[in-house]
Amino acid sequence: MTTGNDFQHQAIAAHVAQRLAGPARAILGFQELLIEQARDLGLIHIKSDLDRIGAAARQLNGFIDRLLEGRACALEEAEAEARLRHDLRTPLNAIIGYSEMILEEAGDAPEHALKEDLHVILSAAAELLRQVDAIASLSRGETVEMLQPGERAEIDAAGLERLLFKAQEIAWPEQGGRILVVDDVASNRDLLSRRLRREGHRVVTAESGLSALAKLAEGEFDLILLDILMPDMNGIEMLSRLKSEERWKHVPVIMISGLSDVTAVARCIEAGADDYLTKPFNPILLRARINSTLEKKRWLDREHRYLQEIKAEKLRADSLIRAILPDQIVARLQDGEEIIADRFEEVSILFADIVGFSPIAARSTASDLVRRLDGMFRRFDLLTEQHRVEKIKTIGDAYMAACGIPEPAPDHADRVVALGKSMLRSLQDTEAGPDRFRVRIGIHTGPVVAGLIGRLRFVYDVWGETVNIASRLESQGVADCIQISEATKRALRSQWTLERRCALELRGIGAVESYLVR
């Protein structure tokens, strides 16, 4: 018989065993569920009957396990099978009898969940009663032979074999990982390290929890194999430490131990372990679990890199949009607000425009003109930040700013006048000559409407008569001076040196008293 045939025979035998043992396992599982439900419902009086069902179920499972393991009765074959049939029926009859008693006691009581589970137990027990002869025949080592030809054809053992052996050949083709092995027993460390190195992994060992933490501080690892029982720090304590620190929490950990207790396994998984291997290791299982965990780590690393790239792109996009819009407006957009339009009753608007710009532009090269404009507007941008004034926009060679939007500010007029003074001072520092930039500045205070317009190259803009008056105060202003209106003068809270100029006749508005800030 070839290896393939051996495998197929084992696969079919496992299927038969599962089919015969399955109902017995189900009875025990449902009995445990019924115990928990009865306790939750306060049905203490049925607990003794449920315990008897459980005892019978365990007895039944014990018989079947021994048969599947090939531990046949020492009696003669025929006598042994007769004894087995009797022994199997005894717990089954007990299971059926006590289940029916509980159902009768339940009567029309509303505990439907209990009844449904009891019916499942009765159904499984009835199925096993029909299979008693087949189960008893396991004592003769018959498994595959019990299947009818049609049933054998339904179990594609050959297909399963092809899939498994092919997968084994192509799995884990190249990459090894950097693995930290933590075990206080030297022979265990050496054996595991040699096996892992033969698999193509790079291995570092540590003989204790503290030593492992030192190794982790020195380098990065793709996987940690961590023993549970160690003298200075047990594996679960170290696992908790790893999962609590940001730099190590994403490193997968496989616990290794001679303990096969379910509680230990569960505790490790709850504490963040990715897997649990018991000593001595099955080499095939060890390789499969390590490579599976490493492959998962590689995918997590890729996901982490993509998330970092997305985060960087988002920060870049946020930075760009905050360079265009006030922070408060960005926050409102991110909260889903689609139309942003507000009225503000008292805002100070500043306009600054270069005096004699057209002749200067005519005498300059394009690159030199743009470079000088860019330098001036960059300085103005920094000054708006320093004085906590919102830059609105540039219009050709003009610069517009506002204070009191999008958040009201009681000292808006003082901030804007201070900004104007700083702008004039910044230009005094530039190179002297006929083409030196000189600006006129106009400021007016009053109500405005502000909002966000456009979907392409959108802008946060300001409208209203206040804007028009500020613009005309600038256009009728004086080079290297700030001209403000009577309204702005009244809004000032600090002491400024003002010089009354005249009542300007503004087109479409009428006479407006004006002052120069000295």
Side-chain angles (χ1 to χ4, degrees), residues 3 5 82 138 203 205 285 315 438 506:
T3 303
N5 286 333
L138 290 173
V203 182
T205 60
L285 273 181
L315 287 174
R438 302 172 67 196
L506 304 184

PDB file of all heavy atoms in Angstrom, residues 3 5 82 138 203 205 285 315 438 506:
ATOM      1  N   THR A   3       2.022   5.376   0.256  1.00  0.00           N
ATOM      2  CA  THR A   3       1.771   6.403   1.264  1.00  0.00           C
ATOM      3  C   THR A   3       0.432   7.064   1.025  1.00  0.00           C
ATOM      4  O   THR A   3      -0.339   7.332   1.942  1.00  0.00           O
ATOM      5  CB  THR A   3       2.894   7.446   1.229  1.00  0.00           C
ATOM      6  OG1 THR A   3       4.123   6.790   1.432  1.00  0.00           O
ATOM      7  CG2 THR A   3       2.681   8.498   2.297  1.00  0.00           C
ATOM      8  N   ASN A   5      -2.224   5.781  -0.433  1.00  0.00           N
ATOM      9  CA  ASN A   5      -3.309   4.884  -0.036  1.00  0.00           C
ATOM     10  C   ASN A   5      -3.440   4.825   1.478  1.00  0.00           C
ATOM     11  O   ASN A   5      -4.544   4.727   2.009  1.00  0.00           O
ATOM     12  CB  ASN A   5      -3.059   3.491  -0.608  1.00  0.00           C
ATOM     13  CG  ASN A   5      -3.327   3.463  -2.112  1.00  0.00           C
ATOM     14  OD1 ASN A   5      -4.127   4.268  -2.606  1.00  0.00           O
ATOM     15  ND2 ASN A   5      -2.645   2.591  -2.812  1.00  0.00           N
ATOM     16  N   ALA A  82     -20.813  -8.855  21.925  1.00  0.00           N
ATOM     17  CA  ALA A  82     -22.089  -8.898  22.653  1.00  0.00           C
ATOM     18  C   ALA A  82     -22.019  -8.056  23.911  1.00  0.00           C
ATOM     19  O   ALA A  82     -22.966  -7.318  24.234  1.00  0.00           O
ATOM     20  CB  ALA A  82     -22.410 -10.357  23.015  1.00  0.00           C
ATOM     21  N   LEU A 138     -16.326  -1.933  15.661  1.00  0.00           N
ATOM     22  CA  LEU A 138     -15.013  -1.274  15.678  1.00  0.00           C
ATOM     23  C   LEU A 138     -13.999  -2.124  16.438  1.00  0.00           C
ATOM     24  O   LEU A 138     -12.786  -1.982  16.246  1.00  0.00           O
ATOM     25  CB  LEU A 138     -15.117   0.110  16.316  1.00  0.00           C
ATOM     26  CG  LEU A 138     -15.862   1.190  15.514  1.00  0.00           C
ATOM     27  CD1 LEU A 138     -16.016   2.443  16.351  1.00  0.00           C
ATOM     28  CD2 LEU A 138     -15.127   1.492  14.224  1.00  0.00           C
ATOM     29  N   VAL A 203      17.718  33.419  14.008  1.00  0.00           N
ATOM     30  CA  VAL A 203      17.262  33.137  15.365  1.00  0.00           C
ATOM     31  C   VAL A 203      18.164  33.808  16.392  1.00  0.00           C
ATOM     32  O   VAL A 203      19.390  33.777  16.283  1.00  0.00           O
ATOM     33  CB  VAL A 203      17.241  31.611  15.624  1.00  0.00           C
ATOM     34  CG1 VAL A 203      16.714  31.317  17.027  1.00  0.00           C
ATOM     35  CG2 VAL A 203      16.377  30.917  14.579  1.00  0.00           C
ATOM     36  N   THR A 205      18.415  33.940  20.732  1.00  0.00           N
ATOM     37  CA  THR A 205      17.873  33.242  21.894  1.00  0.00           C
ATOM     38  C   THR A 205      18.025  34.096  23.158  1.00  0.00           C
ATOM     39  O   THR A 205      18.912  34.943  23.251  1.00  0.00           O
ATOM     40  CB  THR A 205      18.576  31.891  22.120  1.00  0.00           C
ATOM     41  OG1 THR A 205      19.972  32.127  22.333  1.00  0.00           O
ATOM     42  CG2 THR A 205      18.392  30.985  20.922  1.00  0.00           C
ATOM     43  N   LEU A 285       3.843  20.565  12.498  1.00  0.00           N
ATOM     44  CA  LEU A 285       2.960  21.579  13.075  1.00  0.00           C
ATOM     45  C   LEU A 285       3.737  22.843  13.425  1.00  0.00           C
ATOM     46  O   LEU A 285       3.262  23.961  13.223  1.00  0.00           O
ATOM     47  CB  LEU A 285       2.291  21.033  14.335  1.00  0.00           C
ATOM     48  CG  LEU A 285       0.995  20.249  14.147  1.00  0.00           C
ATOM     49  CD1 LEU A 285       0.479  19.822  15.498  1.00  0.00           C
ATOM     50  CD2 LEU A 285      -0.037  21.098  13.416  1.00  0.00           C
ATOM     51  N   LEU A 315      -2.275  64.124   6.326  1.00  0.00           N
ATOM     52  CA  LEU A 315      -1.647  65.274   6.969  1.00  0.00           C
ATOM     53  C   LEU A 315      -1.261  66.324   5.940  1.00  0.00           C
ATOM     54  O   LEU A 315      -1.415  67.537   6.155  1.00  0.00           O
ATOM     55  CB  LEU A 315      -0.409  64.825   7.756  1.00  0.00           C
ATOM     56  CG  LEU A 315      -0.685  64.052   9.050  1.00  0.00           C
ATOM     57  CD1 LEU A 315       0.617  63.541   9.645  1.00  0.00           C
ATOM     58  CD2 LEU A 315      -1.405  64.943  10.052  1.00  0.00           C
ATOM     59  N   ARG A 438       6.092 100.234  -2.327  1.00  0.00           N
ATOM     60  CA  ARG A 438       5.476 101.079  -1.298  1.00  0.00           C
ATOM     61  C   ARG A 438       3.964 100.818  -1.373  1.00  0.00           C
ATOM     62  O   ARG A 438       3.419 100.639  -2.456  1.00  0.00           O
ATOM     63  CB  ARG A 438       5.767 102.559  -1.552  1.00  0.00           C
ATOM     64  CG  ARG A 438       7.249 102.889  -1.600  1.00  0.00           C
ATOM     65  CD  ARG A 438       7.463 104.310  -2.045  1.00  0.00           C
ATOM     66  NE  ARG A 438       6.972 105.255  -1.042  1.00  0.00           N
ATOM     67  CZ  ARG A 438       6.753 106.548  -1.313  1.00  0.00           C
ATOM     68  NH1 ARG A 438       6.922 107.017  -2.543  1.00  0.00           N
ATOM     69  NH2 ARG A 438       6.329 107.355  -0.363  1.00  0.00           N
ATOM     70  N   LEU A 506     -16.650 109.101  -1.197  1.00  0.00           N
ATOM     71  CA  LEU A 506     -16.452 107.788  -1.806  1.00  0.00           C
ATOM     72  C   LEU A 506     -17.594 107.487  -2.771  1.00  0.00           C
ATOM     73  O   LEU A 506     -18.767 107.671  -2.425  1.00  0.00           O
ATOM     74  CB  LEU A 506     -16.383 106.700  -0.723  1.00  0.00           C
ATOM     75  CG  LEU A 506     -15.304 106.906   0.357  1.00  0.00           C
ATOM     76  CD1 LEU A 506     -15.283 105.726   1.310  1.00  0.00           C
ATOM     77  CD2 LEU A 506     -13.926 107.102  -0.284  1.00  0.00           C
TER      78      LEU A 506
END
